[in-house]
């Protein structure tokens, strides 16, 4: 039987990393009796070990809770959990689309952070009812009055009305449940209209195929109905539908306003993309829910097995990860230095880090990754436009008319003490200053436009070290802009090493090349012959270092006698070294490929 729409509340929790979102979800589950004490564990909605360790949500989750309010009426609360990191902004926007309200959780000790504001703005764009909450009020360093005031300045909620809670101890959480019932509106939607459901997540099950998590906006879905995915055109039968509690609870139908899952022997997670609209084959909806777009990777990196025999294992592992992550793309590539591997596309740096970590932990693979880079657009002199993800695919300098690179709008929230250092950092990274906004007397928001390539390097680490860990960064993609970029090649004994090639701004090429060959000189082991390390832009060598040869003292056995005897031995040695240099090859150690990343400014 369908739930009365007036008794449904669909909401999500917006919070910065480590502000207590998952802990608050645990308390809500406990207070509504969805979990028993025996089932309870910390961060119960974060199912991956990685999520627990890092205190972040990587995959969004949803759960249905039954709650009897203070007025004695029973309500259904659907919590749609959202990822908290900038890389997953699109997934966050779709999860917000499935809700009518959002709980804004702010740490009473740390205050508002950049990602909180970013997700808050997304929620406000979609007209969600915002309930601000101050968490961790029991901490000694908490300053609830000042943080409540900054929330009032940001969204206009009176500081005295902002709820004070402690998600860890449960203090103030019952009052939050009552406020959810009072403030969040019931879902709109016509149960008699053609089916229209929004996919806000999907997971892959080895035995049952792709499982869709959806919010029903209009109409109703019955078990065994034929369904169609409007963006991808895929079709299936709804073999099982149900609610998302701690485990899946099958039901015979889902109606407008409800949140649930759909299983239909869908073989590929690519057919069930986040943001797509589900409708029925018979009497379909005329138009899809607005806002769908395909997840596009923004950062690319070469991933190679350290042992060449593990190439097929790496392919299988990436395919398995891709089953649960439609945003992950990969294609085979070959490197003269590293052998066979894959060019892998990621949503951002955190996404890349997580995939690498999972390859190591879940599949036990030892991998080398090359320097991350972005996708460039190259206009050739013959008016053909290319998309270049790998520096080694860059055309010859003479054939290039212009190169465009992606730009992002970056928002940095920092204590006022560190403004100077952070503005200098943005200036050094070719940033364009846009705006400064004071959130309160101690915190400021800086807005810059920056090339994405400058952020994927070591920008985040530098930002944290300048601000002693206090600044936070959020960014969103804007557009492509023409820049003076060049391909920087690294050559070892005259042979280019494609895995060390990188695309840099012309003004930084000399400095970058000089630092890179200097670093490589320390890392490449000495041979029996001199090894020349060169950095080049096109055909012009811009920097050179030499790894000096190890030298055997061939004249040690000469105790006196004519000097010509020593000379003869030295000439013989010199000829041998020359011959060795012609046929010898230099083994480049793994650390050298990470040298670009670890270079100090």
């Amino acid at each position: 039987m369908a739930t009365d729409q007036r008794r449904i509340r669909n909401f999500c929790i917006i919070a910065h990393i480590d502000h207590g979102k998952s802990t608050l979800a645990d308390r809500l589950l406990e207070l509504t009796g969805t979990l028993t004490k025996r089932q309870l564990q910390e961060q119960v909605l974060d199912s991956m070990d990685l999520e627990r360790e890092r205190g972040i949500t990587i995959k969004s989750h949803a759960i249905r809770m039954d709650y009897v309010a203070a007025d004695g009426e029973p309500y259904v609360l659907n919590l749609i959990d959202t990822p908290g990191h900038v890389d997953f902004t699109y997934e966050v926007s779709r999860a917000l689309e499935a809700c009518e309200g959002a709980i804004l959780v702010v740490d009473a000790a740390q205050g508002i952070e950049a990602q909180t504001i970013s997700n808050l703005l997304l929620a406000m764009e979609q007209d969600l009812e915002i309930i601000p909450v101050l968490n961790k009020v029991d901490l000694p360093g908490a300053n609830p009055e000042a943080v409540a005031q900054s929330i009032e300045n940001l969204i206009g909620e009176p500081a005295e009305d902002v709820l004070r809670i402690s998600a860890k101890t449960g203090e103030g959480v019952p009052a939050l449940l009552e406020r959810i019932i009072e403030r969040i509106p019931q879902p709109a939607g016509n149960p008699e209209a053609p089916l229209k459901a929004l996919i806000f997540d999907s997971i892959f099950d080895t035995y049952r195929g792709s499982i869709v998590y959806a919010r029903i906006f209009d109409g109703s879905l019955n078990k065994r109905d034929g369904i169609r995915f409007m963006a991808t055109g895929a079709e299936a039968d709804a073999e099982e539908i149900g609610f998302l509690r701690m485990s899946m609870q099958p039901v015979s139908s889902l109606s407008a306003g409800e949140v649930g899952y759909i299983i239909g022997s869908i073989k590929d997670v690519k057919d069930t993309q986040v943001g797509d609209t589900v409708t029925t084959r018979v009497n379909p909806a005329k138009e899809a829910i607005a806002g769908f777009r395909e997840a596009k990777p923004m950062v690319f990196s070469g991933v190679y097995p350290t042992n060449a025999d593990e190439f097929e294992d790496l392919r299988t592992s990436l395919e398995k990860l891709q089953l649960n992550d439609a945003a992950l793309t990969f294609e085979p590539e070959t490197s003269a230095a590293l052998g066979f591997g894959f060019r892998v596309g990621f949503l951002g740096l955190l996404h890349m880090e997580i995939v690498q970590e999972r390859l190591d932990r879940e599949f036990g693979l030892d991998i080398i990754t090359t320097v991350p880079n972005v996708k460039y657009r190259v206009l050739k002199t013959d008016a053909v436009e290319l998309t270049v993800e790998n520096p080694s695919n860059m055309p010859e300098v003479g054939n290039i008319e212009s190169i465009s690179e992606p730009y992002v709008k970056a928002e940095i929230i920092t204590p006022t003490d560190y403004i100077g250092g952070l503005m200098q950092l943005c200036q050094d990274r070719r940033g364009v200053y846009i705006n400064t906004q004071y959130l309160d007397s101690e915190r400021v928001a800086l807005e810059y436009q920056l090339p994405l390539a400058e952020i994927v390097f070591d920008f985040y680490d530098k930002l944290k070290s300048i601000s002693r860990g206090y600044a936070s960064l959020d960014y969103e993609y804007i557009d492509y802009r023409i820049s003076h970029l060049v391909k920087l090649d690294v050559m070892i004994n005259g042979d280019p090493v494609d895995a060390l090639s990188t695309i840099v701004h012309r003004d930084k090429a000399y400095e970058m090349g000089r630092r890179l060959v200097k670093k490589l000189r320390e890392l490449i082991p000495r041979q029996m012959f001199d090894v020349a390390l060169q950095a080049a832009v096109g055909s012009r060598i811009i920097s050179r270092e030499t790894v000096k040869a190890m030298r055997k003292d061939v004249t040690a056995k000469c105790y006196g006698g004519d000097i010509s005897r020593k000379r003869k031995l030295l000439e013989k040695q010199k000829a041998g070294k020359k011959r060795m240099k012609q046929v010898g090859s230099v083994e480049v150690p793994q650390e050298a490929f990470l040298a670009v990343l670890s270079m100090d400014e």
Side-chain angles (χ1 to χ4, degrees):
M1 195 179 95
T3 312
D4 182 351
Q5 275 180 247
R6 290 172 300 174
R7 301 266 177 269
I8 298 176
R9 299 289 183 272
N10 297 323
F11 68 97
C12 62
I13 303 174
I14 293 172
H16 185 73
I17 291 168
D18 205 29
H19 277 208
K21 180 173 63 167
S22 297
T23 312
L24 177 57
D26 293 350
R27 287 299 79 71
L28 294 174
L29 294 173
E30 194 181 352
L31 284 169
T32 54
T34 310
L35 276 183
T36 62
K37 278 277 188 194
R38 201 161 64 88
Q39 290 173 306
L40 196 64
Q41 57 169 340
E42 281 191 20
Q43 293 171 246
V44 73
L45 291 184
D46 292 343
S47 48
M48 283 186 222
D49 289 341
L50 259 177
E51 290 181 311
R52 292 169 188 289
E53 281 173 30
R54 288 170 172 245
I56 57 175
T57 300
I58 297 164
K59 283 289 280 180
S60 61
H61 302 265
I63 195 154
R64 180 184 171 107
M65 300 173 276
D66 294 318
Y67 175 65
V68 179
D71 59 7
E73 294 286 347
Y75 287 87
V76 167
L77 307 179
N78 286 311
L79 166 59
I80 297 170
D81 199 9
T82 58
H85 198 272
V86 53
D87 288 358
F88 307 110
T89 304
Y90 173 63
E91 284 83 343
V92 173
S93 75
R94 296 303 85 203
L96 294 174
E97 178 82 28
C99 305
E100 277 75 40
I103 299 171
L104 172 67
V105 178
V106 179
D107 188 318
Q110 293 181 27
I112 296 165
E113 301 282 7
Q115 282 151 34
T116 316
I117 290 186
S118 172
N119 289 347
L120 173 64
L121 292 174
L122 280 175
M124 290 167 85
E125 275 170 28
Q126 297 183 12
D127 286 335
L128 298 195
E129 178 66 36
I130 310 291
I131 301 176
V133 170
L134 284 182
N135 188 24
K136 306 190 185 180
V137 291
D138 54 329
L139 287 182
N143 188 358
E145 303 316 315
V147 179
Q149 189 56 52
S150 61
I151 289 174
E152 182 177 337
N153 299 343
L154 189 65
I155 62 171
E157 179 90 11
E160 61 273 11
D161 291 352
V162 177
L163 284 173
R164 274 78 161 162
I165 69 163
S166 167
K168 198 160 199 171
T169 63
E171 175 195 336
V173 181
L176 173 60
L177 279 167
E178 288 301 319
R179 195 166 284 194
I180 289 168
I181 301 297
E182 286 166 31
R183 296 254 311 251
I184 294 177
Q186 67 179 55
N190 180 4
E192 306 304 319
L195 175 70
K196 211 186 256 189
L198 174 77
I199 300 175
F200 60 83
D201 198 11
S202 61
I203 60 164
F204 190 82
D205 183 280
T206 313
Y207 303 104
R208 313 189 77 177
S210 186
I211 301 172
V212 172
Y213 294 168
R215 148 80 195 273
I216 314 288
F217 275 88
D218 286 324
S220 58
L221 176 65
N222 299 311
K223 192 176 174 180
R224 303 254 180 269
D225 278 356
I227 54 172
R228 177 182 297 141
F229 301 96
M230 294 180 82
T232 58
E235 295 189 351
D237 291 325
E239 293 167 7
E240 183 180 312
I241 58 176
F243 299 139
L244 292 153
R245 294 191 186 275
M246 284 314 294
S247 56
M248 293 178 181
Q249 180 190 328
V251 292
S252 56
S253 73
L254 290 170
S255 187
E258 293 187 316
V259 174
Y261 68 90
I262 306 166
I263 300 176
S265 295
I266 305 150
K267 296 286 186 290
D268 196 339
V269 81
K270 284 199 177 74
D271 292 336
T272 58
Q273 294 195 15
V274 171
D276 198 354
T277 305
V278 183
T279 190
T280 44
R281 277 204 293 258
V282 180
N283 188 23
K286 286 186 172 60
E287 54 186 44
I289 296 161
F292 171 76
R293 70 169 196 260
E294 286 195 24
K296 286 193 172 65
M298 295 297 286
V299 175
F300 297 83
S301 177
V303 176
Y304 297 85
T306 49
N307 181 354
D309 297 341
E310 290 180 349
F311 174 73
E312 283 305 324
D313 295 342
L314 179 58
R315 183 200 295 274
T316 311
S317 305
L318 285 169
E319 282 169 355
K320 284 179 180 171
L321 285 181
Q322 200 179 41
L323 290 174
N324 265 324
D325 187 352
L328 182 70
T329 62
F330 65 92
E331 56 183 38
E333 76 167 5
T334 316
S335 156
L338 297 171
F340 293 103
F342 295 93
R343 190 96 197 144
V344 186
F346 308 94
L347 291 171
L349 282 186
L350 179 82
H351 189 207
M352 174 175 155
E353 226 175 289
I354 287 160
V355 168
Q356 289 172 8
E357 190 94 9
R358 289 184 72 184
L359 285 171
D360 177 28
R361 284 188 188 196
E362 295 173 27
F363 304 101
L365 289 172
D366 199 3
I367 56 170
I368 302 172
T369 53
T370 60
V371 179
N373 62 276
V374 300
K375 195 183 277 190
Y376 297 94
R377 288 182 186 162
V378 179
L379 182 65
K380 292 172 68 181
T381 46
D382 56 7
V384 174
E385 189 171 88
L386 298 176
T387 300
V388 175
E389 296 161 8
N390 189 341
S392 58
N393 296 338
M394 189 64 82
E396 291 294 321
V397 181
N399 298 334
I400 297 173
E401 182 69 39
S402 66
I403 304 174
S404 305
E405 62 177 337
Y407 264 70
V408 295
K409 182 176 85 177
E411 184 167 49
I412 299 165
I413 293 184
T414 172
T416 48
D417 301 359
Y418 310 112
I419 294 176
L422 292 175
M423 288 181 104
Q424 186 60 50
L425 173 67
C426 293
Q427 219 66 43
D428 294 344
R429 296 303 171 92
R430 301 189 280 131
V432 180
Y433 171 76
I434 304 296
N435 189 21
T436 301
Q437 181 187 353
Y438 280 83
L439 302 173
D440 53 43
S441 59
E442 292 177 2
R443 295 168 75 74
V444 67
L446 299 172
E447 195 179 309
Y448 271 86
Q449 289 181 356
L450 287 154
L452 180 60
E454 297 284 358
I455 288 183
V456 301
F457 232 40
D458 55 354
F459 184 83
Y460 192 68
D461 294 343
K462 291 271 188 292
L463 176 102
K464 285 294 182 189
S465 59
I466 289 169
S467 67
R468 299 185 187 173
Y470 286 112
S472 61
L473 166 76
D474 185 73
Y475 62 86
E476 62 179 74
Y477 166 73
I478 319 171
D479 54 15
Y480 272 80
R481 297 182 187 176
I482 292 176
S483 298
H484 294 294
L485 301 168
V486 291
K487 179 185 167 194
L488 179 68
D489 282 314
V490 174
M491 296 187 289
I492 297 179
N493 268 352
D495 297 326
V497 181
D498 52 359
L500 288 171
S501 297
T502 181
I503 294 169
V504 294
H505 195 269
R506 187 183 293 279
D507 296 347
K508 293 186 172 185
Y510 170 74
E511 182 59 24
M512 178 89 165
R514 193 178 62 78
R515 278 168 38 219
L516 186 51
V517 292
K518 207 170 182 180
K519 187 82 177 173
L520 286 174
R521 191 186 68 184
E522 297 165 16
L523 294 169
I524 288 179
R526 290 173 72 189
Q527 310 291 322
M528 295 302 291
F529 50 89
D530 283 357
V531 177
L533 306 175
Q534 295 165 311
V537 171
S539 57
R540 195 169 111 247
I541 306 295
I542 57 173
S543 182
R544 171 180 168 133
E545 293 280 343
T546 305
V547 179
K548 283 293 180 190
M550 290 190 285
R551 182 173 174 271
K552 182 184 175 187
D553 189 0
V554 288
T555 60
K557 58 188 177 188
C558 302
Y559 293 101
D562 190 15
I563 187 72
S564 60
R565 189 169 166 225
K566 288 186 180 179
R567 260 196 209 123
K568 186 179 170 188
L569 286 169
L570 288 168
E571 287 298 323
K572 193 176 175 185
Q573 184 188 39
K574 193 173 169 185
K577 282 188 184 293
K578 191 176 176 184
R579 215 167 35 247
M580 205 185 292
K581 189 171 182 176
Q582 286 169 347
V583 295
S585 63
V586 181
E587 281 292 316
V588 184
Q590 290 175 30
E591 308 90 73
F593 298 104
L594 302 173
V596 187
L597 287 173
S598 59
M599 283 190 301
D600 297 320
E601 286 288 333

